[in-house]
């Protein structure tokens, strides 16, 4: 096997490991966010809140949403990368392509 082929195989394996790691990390980051969401809901339902508690609750809620959006964007990029890497890319002779377009 040629050196380049071995390196390509290693790169594919490393890319798969990276994707698996990112999926696990995103899942592990979402779990605490769910707990935070539950606590924020309880805090919002509390009728005896003062202004400072309301402001802190809102700040926590906003921060949680930002983190969740970052995680979702992160996963979206990973999904797009996986889709792009699964494309079948073949060399194209531009003369044939131009000829087909003209015909």
């Amino acid at each position: 096997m040629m050196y380049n082929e071995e390196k390509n195989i290693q790169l594919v394996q490393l890319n798969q490991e990276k994707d698996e790691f990112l999926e696990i990390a995103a899942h592990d980051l979402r779990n605490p966010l769910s707990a935070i969401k539950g606590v924020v809901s309880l805090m919002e339902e509390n009728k005896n809140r003062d202004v400072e508690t309301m402001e802190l609750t809102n700040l926590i809620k906003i921060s949680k949403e930002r983190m969740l959006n970052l995680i979702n964007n992160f996963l979206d990029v990973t999904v797009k990368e996986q889709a792009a890497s699964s494309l079948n890319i073949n060399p194209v002779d531009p003369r044939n392509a131009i000829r087909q377009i003209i015909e």
Side-chain angles (χ1 to χ4, degrees):
M1 189 177 294
M2 293 178 22
Y3 177 76
N4 287 337
E5 289 178 31
E6 290 175 14
K7 288 296 179 187
N8 284 339
I9 290 170
Q10 288 176 347
L11 287 173
V12 167
Q13 289 172 339
L14 285 172
N15 194 44
Q16 289 173 344
E17 290 175 16
K18 174 202 62 136
D19 290 343
E20 289 174 20
F21 171 77
L22 294 177
E23 289 176 19
I24 291 169
H27 176 74
D28 288 349
L29 289 171
R30 278 186 173 164
N31 285 338
L33 289 176
S34 295
I36 292 169
K37 180 181 179 182
V39 170
V40 167
S41 294
L42 290 174
M43 291 172 71
E44 288 175 331
E45 291 174 7
N46 184 356
K47 305 284 188 232
N48 301 322
R49 297 186 295 163
D50 59 14
V51 174
E52 184 178 0
T53 303
M54 289 170 39
E55 289 174 358
L56 289 173
T57 302
N58 194 41
L59 182 61
I60 293 169
K61 188 176 182 178
I62 291 169
S63 296
K64 185 237 1 144
E65 287 300 321
R66 285 182 182 159
M67 286 185 68
L68 188 58
N69 286 336
L70 284 171
I71 292 168
N72 288 335
N73 289 340
F74 193 60
L75 288 174
D76 288 345
V77 168
T78 303
V79 168
K80 289 176 185 175
E81 283 180 356
Q82 288 174 348
S85 68
S86 67
L87 294 176
N88 249 346
I89 300 175
N90 297 314
V92 174
D93 180 6
R95 293 172 291 195
N96 287 339
I98 293 170
R99 189 177 304 119
Q100 288 177 355
I101 292 170
I102 292 172
E103 290 173 359

XYZ file of all heavy atoms in Angstrom:
830
model
N 0.848 -1.181 0.000
C 0.000 0.000 0.000
C 0.895 1.246 0.000
O 1.904 1.301 0.690
C -0.899 0.000 1.237
C -1.951 1.075 1.180
S -3.089 1.039 2.579
C -3.938 -0.488 2.334
N 0.512 2.229 -0.768
C 1.323 3.436 -0.878
C 1.187 4.288 0.371
O 0.205 4.211 1.107
C 0.896 4.231 -2.114
C 1.227 3.511 -3.401
S 0.699 4.350 -4.917
C 0.524 6.025 -4.525
N 2.196 5.121 0.604
C 2.244 5.994 1.767
C 1.031 6.915 1.826
O 0.421 7.073 2.881
C 3.544 6.808 1.713
C 3.683 7.796 2.829
C 4.022 7.374 4.108
C 3.460 9.153 2.619
C 4.154 8.269 5.144
C 3.587 10.056 3.658
C 3.935 9.612 4.918
O 4.057 10.505 5.940
N 0.639 7.502 0.683
C -0.512 8.415 0.652
C -1.815 7.711 1.004
O -2.668 8.274 1.682
C -0.637 9.099 -0.711
C 0.427 10.151 -0.933
O 0.987 10.684 0.021
N 0.711 10.442 -2.179
N -1.973 6.487 0.535
C -3.180 5.729 0.844
C -3.271 5.452 2.341
O -4.344 5.550 2.935
C -3.205 4.422 0.060
C -3.457 4.602 -1.423
C -3.425 3.274 -2.166
O -3.788 2.240 -1.563
O -3.021 3.279 -3.332
N -2.133 5.097 2.953
C -2.108 4.848 4.399
C -2.488 6.115 5.164
O -3.254 6.057 6.129
C -0.719 4.369 4.827
C -0.377 2.980 4.344
C 1.054 2.592 4.676
O 1.700 3.283 5.502
O 1.529 1.603 4.113
N -1.948 7.234 4.733
C -2.259 8.512 5.391
C -3.734 8.861 5.220
O -4.371 9.357 6.148
C -1.380 9.649 4.836
C 0.058 9.572 5.268
C 0.150 9.738 6.766
C 1.556 9.634 7.251
N 1.651 9.624 8.714
N -4.290 8.598 4.051
C -5.713 8.864 3.823
C -6.585 8.003 4.738
O -7.572 8.479 5.300
C -6.089 8.635 2.363
C -5.630 9.773 1.478
O -5.377 10.877 1.946
N -5.514 9.496 0.187
N -6.214 6.744 4.887
C -6.966 5.846 5.771
C -6.892 6.355 7.210
O -7.896 6.399 7.920
C -6.442 4.394 5.652
C -6.807 3.819 4.286
C -6.992 3.524 6.781
C -6.145 2.491 3.971
N -5.704 6.777 7.628
C -5.547 7.326 8.979
C -6.390 8.587 9.167
O -7.015 8.777 10.215
C -4.076 7.642 9.268
C -3.221 6.424 9.459
C -1.749 6.777 9.642
O -1.330 7.907 9.397
N -0.963 5.802 10.085
N -6.413 9.437 8.151
C -7.204 10.667 8.236
C -8.699 10.368 8.340
O -9.420 11.006 9.106
C -6.926 11.572 7.035
C -5.582 12.287 7.025
C -5.373 13.008 5.701
C -5.487 13.254 8.186
N -9.165 9.392 7.588
C -10.575 9.008 7.652
C -10.909 8.486 9.045
O -11.933 8.847 9.639
C -10.911 7.957 6.564
C -12.272 7.327 6.810
C -10.849 8.591 5.181
N -10.034 7.641 9.597
C -10.264 7.107 10.937
C -10.258 8.216 11.985
O -11.115 8.241 12.881
C -9.209 6.049 11.275
C -9.376 4.765 10.493
C -8.213 3.806 10.688
O -7.118 4.194 11.084
N -8.459 2.530 10.390
N -9.310 9.131 11.882
C -9.253 10.253 12.822
C -10.492 11.133 12.713
O -11.022 11.609 13.721
C -7.992 11.093 12.580
C -6.685 10.482 13.059
C -5.498 11.327 12.580
C -6.669 10.364 14.572
N -10.964 11.344 11.510
C -12.169 12.144 11.301
C -13.385 11.473 11.933
O -14.226 12.130 12.548
C -12.388 12.399 9.813
C -13.399 13.478 9.572
O -13.389 14.519 10.230
N -14.297 13.246 8.623
N -13.485 10.152 11.793
C -14.589 9.409 12.414
C -14.516 9.504 13.936
O -15.531 9.699 14.603
C -14.566 7.950 11.965
C -14.971 7.749 10.524
C -14.781 6.310 10.048
O -14.078 5.519 10.677
N -15.395 5.978 8.923
N -13.315 9.381 14.486
C -13.139 9.501 15.936
C -13.512 10.904 16.413
O -14.140 11.058 17.460
C -11.699 9.170 16.329
C -11.353 7.704 16.181
C -9.886 7.414 16.452
O -9.190 8.266 17.047
O -9.431 6.316 16.074
N -13.147 11.911 15.634
C -13.498 13.289 15.977
C -15.013 13.462 15.999
O -15.567 14.034 16.934
C -12.877 14.272 14.977
C -13.326 15.721 15.180
C -13.163 16.554 13.925
C -14.003 16.024 12.827
N -14.753 16.894 12.012
N -15.679 12.934 14.980
C -17.143 13.039 14.910
C -17.801 12.355 16.103
O -18.742 12.893 16.691
C -17.660 12.443 13.600
C -17.288 13.282 12.390
O -16.921 14.458 12.560
O -17.361 12.746 11.268
N -17.311 11.169 16.457
C -17.862 10.458 17.610
C -17.649 11.259 18.895
O -18.555 11.367 19.724
C -17.209 9.080 17.744
C -17.634 8.097 16.679
C -16.867 6.779 16.756
O -16.289 6.478 17.822
O -16.846 6.069 15.737
N -16.461 11.817 19.048
C -16.164 12.629 20.231
C -17.096 13.834 20.314
O -17.624 14.146 21.387
C -14.700 13.092 20.210
C -14.386 14.089 21.275
C -14.198 13.681 22.590
C -14.303 15.439 20.971
C -13.929 14.606 23.585
C -14.041 16.371 21.958
C -13.845 15.956 23.273
N -17.295 14.511 19.195
C -18.156 15.695 19.189
C -19.592 15.344 19.549
O -20.261 16.089 20.273
C -18.100 16.379 17.819
C -16.756 16.989 17.436
C -16.819 17.570 16.033
C -16.328 18.038 18.434
N -20.077 14.217 19.055
C -21.436 13.792 19.389
C -21.575 13.497 20.879
O -22.552 13.883 21.519
C -21.830 12.573 18.557
C -22.062 12.905 17.093
C -22.360 11.673 16.247
O -22.740 10.628 16.818
O -22.204 11.756 15.024
N -20.584 12.818 21.440
C -20.608 12.503 22.875
C -20.519 13.785 23.692
O -21.267 13.975 24.666
C -19.456 11.531 23.229
C -19.723 10.163 22.611
C -19.280 11.419 24.741
C -18.541 9.213 22.659
N -19.615 14.683 23.296
C -19.452 15.944 24.030
C -20.737 16.766 23.991
O -21.163 17.317 25.015
C -18.290 16.742 23.443
N -21.363 16.840 22.839
C -22.600 17.616 22.717
C -23.690 17.015 23.593
O -24.418 17.738 24.280
C -23.048 17.664 21.260
N -23.793 15.688 23.592
C -24.793 15.020 24.426
C -24.516 15.306 25.905
O -25.430 15.624 26.673
C -24.776 13.518 24.160
C -25.706 12.743 25.031
N -27.071 12.769 24.847
C -25.471 11.942 26.097
C -27.635 12.009 25.774
N -26.685 11.492 26.535
N -23.256 15.192 26.301
C -22.890 15.420 27.696
C -23.095 16.875 28.109
O -23.357 17.154 29.279
C -21.447 14.996 27.951
C -21.272 13.479 27.939
O -22.302 12.766 27.944
O -20.122 13.009 27.919
N -22.973 17.795 27.169
C -23.210 19.212 27.486
C -24.704 19.522 27.565
O -25.120 20.421 28.302
C -22.545 20.105 26.441
C -21.025 20.153 26.492
C -20.482 20.881 25.269
C -20.550 20.822 27.773
N -25.500 18.801 26.818
C -26.952 19.045 26.840
C -27.595 18.608 28.157
O -28.556 19.227 28.614
C -27.634 18.312 25.690
C -27.546 19.044 24.400
C -28.373 18.332 23.366
N -28.425 19.139 22.157
C -28.802 18.686 21.005
N -29.176 17.436 20.898
N -28.838 19.463 19.960
N -27.091 17.551 28.763
C -27.690 17.059 30.008
C -27.720 18.127 31.109
O -28.772 18.351 31.703
C -26.978 15.797 30.494
C -27.357 14.585 29.670
O -28.394 14.551 29.022
N -26.503 13.585 29.682
N -26.601 18.790 31.418
C -26.672 19.823 32.455
C -27.582 20.987 32.054
O -28.227 21.602 32.909
C -25.235 20.306 32.620
C -24.381 19.362 31.882
C -25.236 18.555 30.972
N -27.666 21.269 30.767
C -28.543 22.351 30.323
C -30.004 22.009 30.590
O -30.803 22.892 30.911
C -28.323 22.661 28.846
C -26.998 23.336 28.509
C -26.859 23.514 27.005
C -26.867 24.665 29.214
N -30.351 20.747 30.474
C -31.720 20.332 30.794
C -32.006 20.544 32.274
O -33.097 20.989 32.650
C -31.931 18.860 30.438
O -31.821 18.684 29.044
N -31.034 20.223 33.113
C -31.205 20.442 34.552
C -31.344 21.934 34.854
O -32.191 22.338 35.658
C -30.022 19.849 35.319
N -30.537 22.748 34.206
C -30.614 24.201 34.397
C -31.986 24.711 33.969
O -32.590 25.548 34.640
C -29.472 24.911 33.633
C -28.131 24.576 34.272
C -29.700 26.413 33.574
C -26.927 24.996 33.456
N -32.485 24.196 32.857
C -33.807 24.602 32.383
C -34.874 24.296 33.426
O -35.769 25.108 33.685
C -34.122 23.890 31.061
C -35.461 24.249 30.479
C -35.716 23.487 29.184
C -37.075 23.839 28.616
N -37.363 23.093 27.391
N -34.783 23.119 34.046
C -35.745 22.744 35.077
C -35.673 23.665 36.285
O -36.715 24.090 36.816
N -34.471 24.000 36.715
C -34.305 24.895 37.872
C -34.845 26.279 37.544
O -35.526 26.909 38.363
C -32.825 24.954 38.302
C -32.592 26.052 39.334
C -32.373 23.607 38.847
N -34.562 26.770 36.343
C -35.061 28.087 35.936
C -36.588 28.099 35.933
O -37.211 29.059 36.388
C -34.490 28.489 34.552
C -35.221 29.676 33.966
C -33.006 28.784 34.658
N -37.195 27.021 35.451
C -38.663 26.940 35.447
C -39.213 27.029 36.862
O -40.192 27.741 37.118
C -39.133 25.644 34.798
O -38.806 25.642 33.433
N -38.584 26.317 37.787
C -39.021 26.378 39.183
C -38.851 27.786 39.758
O -39.720 28.280 40.478
C -38.241 25.370 40.034
C -38.551 23.907 39.803
C -37.588 23.025 40.604
C -39.995 23.598 40.176
N -37.737 28.421 39.424
C -37.492 29.775 39.928
C -38.513 30.754 39.367
O -38.965 31.661 40.063
C -36.061 30.211 39.579
C -34.988 29.444 40.337
S -33.309 29.796 39.761
C -33.084 31.461 40.346
N -38.885 30.563 38.097
C -39.866 31.458 37.480
C -41.256 31.280 38.094
O -42.036 32.228 38.156
C -39.927 31.222 35.967
C -38.711 31.729 35.234
C -38.730 31.395 33.758
O -39.312 30.384 33.346
O -38.125 32.185 33.003
N -41.571 30.073 38.550
C -42.874 29.802 39.138
C -42.996 30.319 40.569
O -44.100 30.471 41.080
C -43.155 28.296 39.121
C -43.384 27.755 37.733
C -43.518 26.235 37.714
O -43.567 25.611 38.796
O -43.552 25.678 36.606
N -41.861 30.587 41.199
C -41.861 31.052 42.583
C -42.510 32.435 42.670
O -42.037 33.401 42.087
C -40.426 31.091 43.115
C -40.341 31.475 44.569
O -41.341 31.795 45.207
N -39.129 31.448 45.088
N -43.577 32.532 43.424
C -44.334 33.789 43.546
C -43.630 34.799 44.456
O -43.923 35.983 44.430
C -45.735 33.509 44.109
C -46.523 32.496 43.311
C -47.054 33.090 42.044
C -48.004 32.112 41.380
N -47.724 31.845 40.024
N -42.702 34.338 45.292
C -42.054 35.209 46.276
C -40.708 35.752 45.786
O -39.856 36.066 46.592
C -41.850 34.440 47.600
C -43.153 33.951 48.163
O -44.165 34.645 48.084
N -43.143 32.763 48.722
N -40.551 35.869 44.487
C -39.270 36.331 43.929
C -39.113 37.832 44.115
O -40.062 38.583 43.924
C -39.179 36.027 42.439
C -39.205 34.576 42.092
C -38.971 34.353 40.628
N -40.078 34.920 39.850
C -40.025 35.173 38.552
N -38.951 34.918 37.885
N -41.053 35.672 37.919
N -37.908 38.251 44.414
C -37.623 39.680 44.414
C -37.031 40.054 43.057
O -36.793 39.198 42.203
C -36.690 40.060 45.569
C -35.360 39.308 45.515
O -35.048 38.711 44.479
O -34.635 39.341 46.515
N -36.794 41.330 42.843
C -36.312 41.816 41.545
C -34.959 41.214 41.202
O -34.714 40.803 40.058
C -36.234 43.367 41.534
C -35.601 43.874 40.258
C -37.613 43.964 41.724
N -34.082 41.106 42.178
C -32.745 40.565 41.928
C -32.829 39.101 41.493
O -32.152 38.684 40.543
C -31.877 40.687 43.190
C -30.456 40.238 42.951
C -29.586 40.402 44.191
O -30.077 40.859 45.231
O -28.402 40.053 44.076
N -33.678 38.327 42.140
C -33.856 36.919 41.771
C -34.438 36.808 40.369
O -34.020 35.947 39.581
C -34.770 36.205 42.785
O -34.208 36.329 44.083
C -34.931 34.740 42.440
N -35.369 37.673 40.032
C -35.949 37.665 38.685
C -34.890 37.969 37.638
O -34.834 37.332 36.591
C -37.105 38.675 38.607
C -38.329 38.224 39.381
S -39.646 39.455 39.585
C -39.724 40.299 38.051
N -34.021 38.950 37.922
C -32.962 39.306 36.975
C -31.961 38.167 36.815
O -31.533 37.849 35.695
C -32.262 40.576 37.434
C -33.103 41.824 37.298
C -32.450 43.066 37.901
O -31.340 42.961 38.465
O -33.065 44.136 37.791
N -31.589 37.551 37.938
C -30.648 36.425 37.875
C -31.256 35.233 37.133
O -30.579 34.574 36.338
C -30.220 36.009 39.282
C -29.299 36.976 40.012
C -29.095 36.543 41.454
C -27.965 37.103 39.289
N -32.531 34.986 37.378
C -33.219 33.895 36.678
C -33.209 34.144 35.179
O -32.930 33.238 34.382
C -34.670 33.769 37.192
O -34.655 33.538 38.589
C -35.398 32.632 36.499
N -33.484 35.368 34.786
C -33.495 35.720 33.359
C -32.091 35.583 32.764
O -31.931 35.090 31.643
C -34.040 37.134 33.168
C -34.375 37.411 31.724
O -34.924 36.559 31.034
N -34.045 38.599 31.264
N -31.075 35.999 33.499
C -29.695 35.883 33.025
C -29.307 34.419 32.834
O -28.687 34.054 31.825
C -28.744 36.563 34.015
C -27.274 36.586 33.652
C -27.055 37.347 32.346
C -26.470 37.218 34.762
N -29.683 33.574 33.784
C -29.404 32.137 33.663
C -30.117 31.562 32.442
O -29.543 30.788 31.668
C -29.835 31.390 34.948
C -28.950 31.802 36.121
C -29.769 29.874 34.738
C -29.467 31.333 37.464
N -31.356 31.952 32.257
C -32.150 31.459 31.123
C -31.517 31.866 29.791
O -31.392 31.042 28.871
C -33.569 32.012 31.231
C -34.535 31.443 30.242
C -35.928 32.002 30.516
C -36.961 31.425 29.592
N -38.305 31.935 29.890
N -31.098 33.113 29.684
C -30.458 33.599 28.455
C -29.151 32.855 28.197
O -28.874 32.425 27.070
C -30.229 35.120 28.533
C -31.575 35.856 28.476
C -29.302 35.595 27.419
C -31.481 37.337 28.816
N -28.347 32.672 29.250
C -27.069 31.963 29.106
C -27.290 30.516 28.677
O -26.557 29.987 27.833
C -26.296 31.991 30.422
O -25.955 33.304 30.753
N -28.299 29.878 29.246
C -28.617 28.494 28.883
C -29.001 28.402 27.409
O -28.563 27.504 26.688
C -29.749 27.965 29.775
C -30.055 26.517 29.555
C -31.431 26.097 29.171
C -32.517 27.062 28.978
N -33.434 26.679 27.887
N -29.818 29.348 26.949
C -30.235 29.346 25.538
C -29.044 29.556 24.612
O -28.943 28.912 23.560
C -31.297 30.424 25.292
C -32.650 30.084 25.880
C -33.246 28.807 25.314
O -33.115 28.544 24.100
O -33.843 28.053 26.101
N -28.139 30.445 24.995
C -26.937 30.678 24.172
C -26.093 29.414 24.078
O -25.608 29.058 23.002
C -26.110 31.814 24.754
C -26.701 33.170 24.509
C -25.813 34.264 25.053
N -26.425 35.557 24.860
C -26.111 36.630 25.559
N -25.200 36.564 26.500
N -26.709 37.786 25.315
N -25.898 28.744 25.219
C -25.111 27.511 25.208
C -25.777 26.437 24.352
O -25.110 25.741 23.592
C -24.907 27.001 26.634
C -23.910 27.813 27.423
S -23.587 27.080 29.037
C -22.745 25.595 28.569
N -27.082 26.321 24.475
C -27.806 25.325 23.683
C -27.695 25.639 22.190
O -27.484 24.739 21.370
C -29.271 25.273 24.114
C -30.109 24.150 23.524
C -29.499 22.787 23.864
C -31.524 24.226 24.054
N -27.785 26.915 21.825
C -27.619 27.308 20.422
C -26.217 26.989 19.919
O -26.048 26.519 18.784
C -27.924 28.789 20.235
C -29.397 29.091 20.298
O -30.233 28.235 20.043
N -29.734 30.315 20.649
N -25.203 27.227 20.750
C -23.831 26.897 20.358
C -23.675 25.396 20.116
O -23.067 24.977 19.125
C -22.843 27.345 21.437
C -22.534 28.828 21.500
C -21.725 29.147 22.747
C -21.758 29.261 20.266
N -24.232 24.605 21.013
C -24.144 23.151 20.865
C -24.864 22.706 19.599
O -24.346 21.889 18.833
C -24.722 22.443 22.108
C -23.826 22.693 23.323
C -24.883 20.946 21.865
C -24.437 22.294 24.642
N -26.048 23.239 19.366
C -26.800 22.872 18.157
C -26.059 23.285 16.898
O -26.015 22.526 15.916
C -28.196 23.483 18.197
C -29.088 22.810 19.216
O -28.880 21.658 19.573
N -30.074 23.528 19.703
N -25.477 24.480 16.884
C -24.690 24.921 15.722
C -23.483 24.014 15.516
O -23.126 23.673 14.390
C -24.244 26.369 15.900
C -25.383 27.341 15.790
O -26.437 27.029 15.241
N -25.199 28.528 16.331
N -22.875 23.638 16.610
C -21.730 22.746 16.582
C -22.108 21.418 15.934
O -21.412 20.902 15.057
C -21.286 22.549 18.035
C -19.958 21.919 18.234
C -18.806 22.499 17.734
C -19.853 20.746 18.957
C -17.570 21.925 17.943
C -18.628 20.159 19.177
C -17.484 20.752 18.667
N -23.239 20.872 16.351
C -23.707 19.609 15.786
C -24.105 19.762 14.322
O -23.884 18.857 13.515
C -24.875 19.062 16.598
C -24.510 18.509 17.967
C -25.757 18.128 18.741
C -23.581 17.319 17.845
N -24.705 20.904 13.970
C -25.073 21.145 12.572
C -23.844 21.118 11.680
O -23.865 20.536 10.592
C -25.793 22.485 12.422
C -27.199 22.467 12.983
O -27.724 21.365 13.234
O -27.761 23.571 13.170
N -22.754 21.730 12.136
C -21.514 21.741 11.359
C -20.991 20.318 11.207
O -20.567 19.914 10.125
C -20.454 22.648 12.032
C -19.083 22.457 11.415
C -20.875 24.108 11.938
N -21.048 19.555 12.277
C -20.582 18.169 12.234
C -21.389 17.352 11.236
O -20.831 16.586 10.452
C -20.678 17.525 13.634
O -19.917 18.314 14.550
C -20.146 16.116 13.632
N -22.713 17.528 11.249
C -23.578 16.801 10.312
C -23.250 17.195 8.879
O -23.161 16.342 7.990
C -25.066 17.063 10.632
C -25.971 16.580 9.513
C -25.437 16.406 11.944
N -23.045 18.481 8.639
C -22.704 18.946 7.286
C -21.355 18.398 6.838
O -21.188 18.027 5.681
C -22.717 20.471 7.242
C -24.108 21.049 7.324
C -24.089 22.550 7.366
C -25.504 23.083 7.579
N -25.526 24.531 7.742
N -20.394 18.347 7.762
C -19.089 17.781 7.423
C -19.211 16.304 7.061
O -18.587 15.835 6.120
C -18.113 17.939 8.591
C -17.557 19.326 8.751
C -16.603 19.427 9.930
O -16.427 18.442 10.678
O -16.027 20.507 10.109
N -20.033 15.573 7.825
C -20.217 14.155 7.543
C -20.862 13.963 6.172
O -20.477 13.076 5.422
C -21.072 13.499 8.626
C -20.357 13.332 9.935
C -21.271 12.820 11.043
O -22.483 12.805 10.892
N -20.685 12.424 12.147
N -21.838 14.795 5.858
C -22.507 14.686 4.562
C -21.530 15.007 3.440
O -21.513 14.329 2.409
C -23.711 15.618 4.505
N -20.717 16.038 3.635
C -19.761 16.425 2.603
C -18.702 15.352 2.402
O -18.265 15.099 1.276
C -19.107 17.753 2.956
N -18.283 14.700 3.490
C -17.240 13.689 3.360
C -17.755 12.403 2.723
O -16.987 11.584 2.266
C -16.614 13.382 4.725
O -17.546 12.736 5.549
N -19.076 12.235 2.689
C -19.625 11.030 2.088
C -19.941 11.217 0.604
O -20.434 10.306 -0.034
C -20.882 10.587 2.842
O -21.913 11.523 2.660
N -19.668 12.387 0.075
C -19.909 12.621 -1.344
C -18.928 11.807 -2.171
O -17.781 11.612 -1.797
C -19.736 14.115 -1.680
C -20.739 15.078 -1.078
C -20.354 16.509 -1.444
C -22.136 14.785 -1.570
N -19.374 11.349 -3.306
C -18.513 10.654 -4.246
C -17.970 11.675 -5.229
O -18.687 12.139 -6.105
C -19.306 9.583 -4.998
C -18.893 8.204 -4.613
O -17.864 8.014 -3.994
N -19.702 7.238 -4.985
N -16.726 12.012 -5.084
C -16.120 13.014 -5.960
C -15.198 12.292 -6.932
O -14.288 11.571 -6.523
C -15.341 14.068 -5.138
C -16.302 14.769 -4.185
C -14.642 15.054 -6.056
C -15.634 15.740 -3.247
N -15.478 12.506 -8.203
C -14.693 11.875 -9.254
C -14.120 12.946 -10.165
O -14.725 13.997 -10.361
C -15.567 10.923 -10.082
C -16.105 9.787 -9.249
O -15.373 9.181 -8.485
N -17.387 9.503 -9.388
N -12.969 12.665 -10.735
C -12.398 13.638 -11.681
C -13.300 13.791 -12.911
O -13.954 12.842 -13.338
C -11.043 13.038 -12.066
C -11.078 11.624 -11.613
C -12.135 11.496 -10.571
N -13.350 15.002 -13.414
C -14.190 15.306 -14.571
C -13.311 15.905 -15.657
O -12.485 16.780 -15.392
C -15.310 16.298 -14.183
C -16.098 16.737 -15.398
C -16.217 15.703 -13.131
N -13.522 15.438 -16.862
C -12.824 16.028 -18.007
C -13.629 17.247 -18.441
O -14.779 17.113 -18.889
C -12.730 14.996 -19.140
C -12.004 15.544 -20.357
O -11.478 16.675 -20.299
O -11.975 14.829 -21.372
N -13.083 18.443 -18.301
C -13.846 19.647 -18.625
C -14.286 19.696 -20.093
O -15.351 20.224 -20.403
C -12.899 20.799 -18.295
C -11.576 20.205 -18.025
C -11.755 18.748 -17.818
N -13.510 19.100 -20.976
C -13.905 19.104 -22.401
C -15.207 18.341 -22.597
O -16.097 18.788 -23.322
C -12.795 18.526 -23.269
C -11.536 19.403 -23.312
C -10.436 18.705 -24.006
N -10.045 17.604 -23.095
C -8.931 16.911 -23.193
N -8.102 17.145 -24.174
N -8.634 15.962 -22.347
N -15.323 17.188 -21.951
C -16.563 16.405 -22.070
C -17.731 17.146 -21.432
O -18.852 17.131 -21.967
C -16.410 15.040 -21.408
C -15.532 14.101 -22.229
O -15.346 14.300 -23.426
N -14.996 13.089 -21.585
N -17.482 17.770 -20.294
C -18.554 18.500 -19.623
C -19.035 19.653 -20.497
O -20.246 19.865 -20.660
C -18.058 19.034 -18.291
N -18.128 20.378 -21.098
C -18.497 21.511 -21.983
C -19.227 21.000 -23.215
O -20.242 21.573 -23.624
C -17.236 22.340 -22.373
C -16.697 23.025 -21.124
C -17.562 23.336 -23.469
C -15.327 23.682 -21.315
N -18.750 19.899 -23.760
C -19.395 19.303 -24.932
C -20.836 18.902 -24.602
O -21.751 19.158 -25.380
C -18.593 18.090 -25.418
C -19.066 17.541 -26.761
C -18.208 16.383 -27.275
N -16.805 16.738 -27.386
C -15.793 16.142 -26.707
N -16.034 15.124 -25.906
N -14.547 16.536 -26.858
N -21.060 18.312 -23.453
C -22.402 17.912 -23.039
C -23.312 19.133 -22.852
O -24.485 19.107 -23.202
C -22.344 17.094 -21.751
C -21.790 15.706 -21.949
C -21.675 14.950 -20.623
O -21.922 15.502 -19.558
N -21.273 13.687 -20.710
N -22.751 20.178 -22.286
C -23.550 21.405 -22.090
C -23.948 21.998 -23.438
O -25.098 22.404 -23.625
C -22.748 22.444 -21.253
C -22.589 21.926 -19.815
C -23.438 23.810 -21.268
C -21.638 22.733 -18.970
N -23.023 22.030 -24.375
C -23.300 22.596 -25.695
C -24.345 21.778 -26.439
O -25.253 22.326 -27.075
C -22.006 22.715 -26.529
C -21.100 23.770 -25.893
C -22.308 23.064 -27.976
C -19.713 23.858 -26.507
N -24.251 20.451 -26.311
C -25.213 19.587 -27.006
C -26.564 19.748 -26.375
O -27.592 19.707 -26.931
C -24.767 18.125 -26.924
C -23.518 17.854 -27.770
C -22.987 16.441 -27.538
O -23.553 15.686 -26.722
O -21.994 16.089 -28.166
